[in-house]
Amino acid sequence: MTTAQAFEKFKTSEQGLSTSEAAERVNQYGPNALEEEKSNPLLKFLGLMWNPLSWAMEVAAILSLIVADWPDFGLILALLLINSTIAYWEESQAGNAIAALKAQLTPKATCKRDGTWQVVDAAGLVPGDLIRIKLGDVAPADLKVIAGENIKADQAALTGESLPVGKEVGDEIFSGSVIKMGEAECLVHSTGMHTFFGRTASLVAQTVREGHFQKVLKSIGWFCISFILVWVLAELLVEFVARKAPCKITGYTDKCPGLSNVIVLIVGG
């Protein structure tokens, strides 16, 4: 697509958009920002306790309360909290990495509006805007180079390319790319969630299929649960059927050896 064709497609010109046109396009295309889902930290933390192995530990904690085995109850509760805290921290680190990448997107841009170059909020950029980028800038949207030479952009964070890529007139520069050489005038052709980076983030967010590692962990969890249930059932049959030993809750674990043994089996399993 030539520069003239791009101008015609986005209904713009070398004078850029007017302020009123830009405002209309913000309503049409939305702000130049990535959507972010907010989650409740407490619910997220509690959700990490919702898995087969945690269920077993939670059952053991309840049984410890029933037989008033406070040391075991404290130990089991501590293990649950430690495991969930570690998992929460690891997920938070991954979230922080994504936030850091998003923070690289420049908050301001040099844009041609009403025929003059001016500094505007990058969130207000729309398809059809003309902007200038130079050494050290981060591309605020997906751009098409319309003027400039000796341009190189580092887009490793998006494409994995290890070295900066040369860009010529007519080439694209993806949102989030860092300009390593040169200066250029560019036409904004995609913003926000419609950029290459935005589409990638959207696809990742929509992915619900379990990975191989998650499937293996879930299989191990269900195997452990099945193993525990078999031995717990055997213990209950021995204590309450074969030996006919009733469970008397009097505040001491030795008054209910059956349940105490069940706790040991669950925690050990």
Side-chain angles (χ1 to χ4, degrees):
M1 184 187 299
T2 65
T3 300
Q5 290 172 331
F7 281 158
E8 183 179 354
K9 177 180 179 180
F10 291 101
K11 296 181 174 58
T12 187
S13 68
E14 294 181 353
Q15 298 303 309
L17 300 174
S18 67
T19 301
S20 59
E21 287 176 324
E24 290 176 2
R25 296 192 185 193
V26 167
N27 293 330
Q28 179 181 354
Y29 296 103
N32 180 33
L34 299 179
E35 297 176 359
E36 184 177 2
E37 291 187 8
K38 297 292 185 180
S39 58
N40 187 309
L42 178 59
L43 293 179
K44 183 178 179 180
F45 180 79
L46 294 177
L48 295 171
M49 297 183 185
W50 190 254
N51 57 73
L53 293 180
S54 292
W55 297 338
M57 298 292 285
E58 288 156 9
V59 170
I62 293 172
L63 293 178
S64 297
L65 278 177
I66 292 175
V67 299
D69 188 348
W70 305 115
D72 279 353
F73 174 75
L75 177 61
I76 295 168
L77 186 61
L79 288 174
L80 276 171
L81 293 176
I82 290 172
N83 288 337
S84 297
T85 300
I86 293 173
Y88 183 82
W89 180 80
E90 289 176 345
E91 288 196 9
S92 297
Q93 290 298 107
N96 291 340
I98 296 174
L101 183 60
K102 291 169 62 177
Q104 291 181 2
L105 301 180
T106 180
K108 299 290 183 179
T110 303
C111 177
K112 201 170 191 179
R113 292 272 175 87
D114 300 316
T116 61
W117 290 103
Q118 50 190 287
V119 177
V120 301
D121 290 334
L125 292 177
V126 293
D129 267 328
L130 298 183
I131 70 168
R132 276 181 180 163
I133 52 176
K134 61 184 185 302
L135 175 66
D137 285 349
V138 179
D142 280 359
L143 312 172
K144 180 181 178 63
V145 180
I146 60 174
E149 56 184 16
N150 299 323
I151 309 160
K152 286 191 175 182
D154 181 358
Q155 49 194 33
L158 301 173
T159 64
E161 295 165 295
S162 58
L163 297 174
V165 180
K167 298 292 183 180
E168 300 177 352
V169 173
D171 288 344
E172 288 189 38
I173 299 178
F174 296 129
S175 174
S177 300
V178 181
I179 307 305
K180 293 296 186 180
M181 181 184 293
E183 183 174 348
E185 291 184 14
C186 303
L187 173 68
V188 176
H189 70 77
S190 296
T191 58
M193 297 302 294
H194 302 290
T195 63
F196 179 82
F197 179 74
R199 293 194 302 271
T200 302
S202 178
L203 289 173
V204 171
Q206 293 172 9
T207 300
V208 295
R209 183 175 61 86
E210 289 183 325
H212 177 69
F213 185 64
Q214 284 76 19
K215 289 181 179 178
V216 170
L217 288 180
K218 181 171 285 187
S219 298
I220 293 173
W222 284 115
F223 173 79
C224 291
I225 289 292
S226 302
F227 179 83
I228 290 169
L229 287 175
V230 169
W231 286 101
V232 165
L233 181 60
E235 170 64 23
L236 294 177
L237 289 174
V238 169
E239 289 293 330
F240 296 100
V241 178
R243 295 182 179 176
K244 298 182 180 180
C247 185
K248 298 178 180 178
I249 307 302
T250 60
Y252 299 96
T253 58
D254 59 350
K255 294 297 184 180
C256 195
L259 288 185
S260 298
N261 292 339
V262 167
I263 294 171
V264 173
L265 288 171
I266 292 175
V267 175

